[in-house]
């Protein structure tokens, strides 16, 4: 016979936060929301309060020596979560400024007890709790009295079956070491923020949450018009189930290229298309999405360019305007990898998409906040893993400088992460630049090793004959292309 107690978990109403918490907020828990000024503590508290408060489970919000409730509400009502009709119906505000000014912790506690007994709240917020701590210190109250105050407050809220939140301004964990509330709290949510160049990066850490497995590490979040949104690591949440695999091959929309690939791209693979500027990477990407639409498969394209690609590619614009392809075109200067993955997976779920394009990896790197660029290789690995888990076929483009003596498929050393690689190059023959294409890799599948000419016209990409028995310049260096059309090798010194 099991004697374990089931703890009800409350949905916080903050996108992504429940996953980070390990399934929601434990009911009747005693929690601390800490962080430096401006990090989003009060906004987080209000967002959870308006999501959880009902007439049957009212919320009591105590303000302490900070901004008066009317001023605070003036700004909080700008967020989408704010419900004006809930004020004084399921949400009640009480100002403890007078009690805390005297520095008498017993007086503060008595006022809180009186309000709790009068209203019977299911949710209690004290903002800012650090003001209570400082008031007690200024009043000459020793450390043990503060600890007694915290213990009494915690016991009171537990006995009244209230889920409690203490909001406090602490700039670092060291700043709070002497505060007994950190030991007594059931949950500790720490908010951080940093400014790098022109980007503001906000992160959250669940340092403590008794009785449930939280997601470890720092999780980026954004404060927008709707409030906070937390970006949980997609690979750790388990919330994204892989779509049923259709198996078989995915066609690119370029028949000759599909032939070179051995019949198309195996479904669920990730493909890297690498080449110099103007070689046709984005046109191939649009063709890949258009072919999917023709076959009843919707797609998602993430564009990371100074100017939206859709404005320069008529075919892609038509697919987006027709609702067949979702566009992710963020200009925010403080993007994180988890936010990008979240946006992609959200659109994949919404459209039940089967194809995804990332155009391009170079723009993607620049779109990330500086702090995330340092781990760009790891970021790409997480992106590819998350999309593979969603069961989609992915095509990514990568900008490369065309140099024969430095043949690279990605400037990030991440070509090994992809299942297939298509390379586009320029060849100088008879004072003309010709485009050539080759399939370098298709994991666990036979494919062509030919180097084939291709052209671009109003209909898209047209792959032509093998490049055979020509002598020319590849990347400014003499080369001779083998008669069988294989990849070029350096021409013999002195050849014409």
């Amino acid at each position: 016979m099991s004697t374990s107690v089931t703890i009800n978990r409350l949905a916080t109403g903050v996108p992504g936060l429940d996953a980070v918490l390990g399934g929601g907020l434990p009911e009747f828990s005693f929690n601390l929301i800490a962080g430096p000024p401006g990090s989003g503590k009060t906004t987080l508290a209000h967002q959870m309060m308006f999501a959880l408060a009902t007439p049957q489970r009212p919320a009591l919000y105590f303000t302490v020596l900070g901004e008066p409730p009317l001023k605070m509400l003036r700004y909080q009502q700008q967020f989408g979560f704010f419900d004006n009709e809930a004020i004084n119906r399921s949400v009640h505000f009480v100002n403890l400024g007078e009690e805390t000014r005297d520095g008498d912790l017993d007086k503060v506690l008595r006022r809180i007890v009186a309000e709790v007994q009068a209203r019977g709240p299911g949710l209690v917020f004290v903002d800012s709790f650090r003001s209570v701590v400082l008031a007690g210190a200024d009043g000459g109250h020793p450390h043990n009295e503060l600890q007694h105050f915290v213990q009494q407050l915690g016991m009171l809220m537990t006995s009244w079956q209230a889920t409690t939140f203490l909001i406090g301004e602490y700039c670092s964990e060291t700043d709070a070491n002497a505060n007994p509330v950190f030991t007594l709290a059931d949950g500790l949510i720490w908010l951080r923020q940093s400014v790098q160049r022109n980007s503001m990066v906000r992160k959250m850490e669940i340092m403590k949450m008794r009785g449930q497995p939280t997601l470890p590490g720092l999780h980026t979040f954004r404060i927008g018009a709707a409030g906070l949104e937390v970006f949980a690591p997609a690979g750790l949440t388990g919330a994204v189930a892989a779509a049923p695999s259709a198996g078989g091959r995915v066609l690119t929309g370029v028949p000759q290229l599909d032939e070179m690939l051995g019949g198309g791209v195996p479904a669920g693979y990730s493909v890297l298309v690498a080449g110099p500027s103007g070689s046709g990477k984005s046109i191939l990407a649009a063709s890949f999405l258009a072919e999917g639409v023709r076959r009843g498969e919707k797609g998602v394209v993430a564009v990371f360019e100074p100017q939206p690609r859709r404005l320069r590619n008529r075919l892609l614009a038509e697919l987006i305007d027709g609702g067949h392809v979702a566009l992710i075109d963020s200009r925010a200067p403080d993007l994180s990898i988890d936010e990008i993955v979240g946006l992609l997976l959200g659109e994949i779920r919404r459209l039940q998409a089967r194809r995804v394009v990332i155009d391009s990896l170079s723009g993607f790197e620049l779109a990330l906040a500086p702090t995330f660029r340092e781990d760009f290789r790891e970021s790409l690995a997480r992106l590819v893993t998350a999309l593979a888990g969603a069961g989609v076929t992915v095509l990514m483009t990568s900008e490369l400088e065309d140099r024969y003596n430095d043949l690279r498929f990605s400037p990030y050393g991440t070509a090994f992460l992809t299942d297939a690689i298509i390379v586009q190059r320029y060849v100088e023959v008879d004072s003309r630049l010709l485009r050539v294409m080759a399939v370098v890799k298709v994991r666990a599948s036979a494919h062509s090793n030919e180097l084939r000419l291709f052209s671009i016209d109003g209909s898209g990409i047209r792959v032509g004959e093998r490049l055979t028995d020509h002598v020319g310049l590849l990347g400014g260096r003499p080369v001779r292309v083998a008669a069988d059309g294989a990849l070029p090798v350096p021409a013999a010194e002195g050849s014409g």
Side-chain angles (χ1 to χ4, degrees), residues 151-328:
Q151 289 174 336
Q152 289 295 105
L153 182 61
M155 290 175 59
L156 168 69
M157 297 308 158
T158 302
S159 64
W160 278 91
Q161 293 191 325
T163 306
T164 307
F165 302 85
L166 308 183
I167 298 96
E169 292 184 352
Y170 296 93
C171 295
S172 68
E173 293 88 337
T174 304
D175 189 26
N177 282 340
N179 194 330
V181 71
F182 285 80
T183 302
L184 298 172
D186 300 314
L188 174 54
I189 302 174
W190 202 286
L191 306 184
R192 295 174 169 83
Q193 63 182 6
S194 62
V195 178
Q196 295 188 344
R197 298 181 184 176
N198 63 334
S199 65
M200 167 70 79
V201 178
R202 291 186 167 94
K203 297 182 180 181
M204 172 186 297
E205 181 181 6
I206 310 301
M207 300 183 67
K208 179 183 182 181
M209 191 60 65
R210 286 178 176 145
Q212 59 192 56
T214 60
L215 292 183
L218 298 175
H219 311 286
T220 56
F221 70 94
R222 182 181 296 280
I223 302 178
L228 269 76
E229 182 177 2
V230 183
F231 306 108
L236 298 177
T237 61
V240 181
S245 176
R249 299 271 176 160
V250 173
L251 301 182
T252 65
V254 182
Q256 300 87 351
L257 176 57
D258 293 331
E259 179 184 334
M260 295 170 66
L261 289 164
V265 179
Y269 269 32
S270 56
V271 183
L272 176 66
V273 180
S277 178
S279 60
K281 302 182 297 298
S282 296
I283 294 176
L284 177 57
S287 174
F288 171 76
L289 291 172
E291 181 65 22
V293 171
R294 282 193 289 270
R295 297 177 178 274
E297 301 175 356
K298 293 189 176 182
V300 179
V301 56
V303 178
F304 302 102
E305 298 291 339
Q307 179 183 3
R309 182 73 66 184
R310 64 172 298 189
L311 299 180
R312 292 180 281 167
N313 190 304
R314 179 178 56 83
L315 175 58
L316 182 58
E318 292 175 355
L319 296 175
I320 294 169
D321 293 339
H324 306 293
V325 172
L327 172 67
I328 295 175

Side-chain angles (χ1 to χ4, degrees), residues 20 77 80 126 140 150 176-177 201 214 285 294 302 348-349 363 390 422 427 445 449 451 483 486:
V20 171
Q77 68 182 352
V126 181
V150 173
N177 282 340
V201 178
T214 60
R294 282 193 289 270
I348 290 171
R349 283 190 291 263
I422 300 170
V427 178
S445 175
N449 65 349
L451 192 70

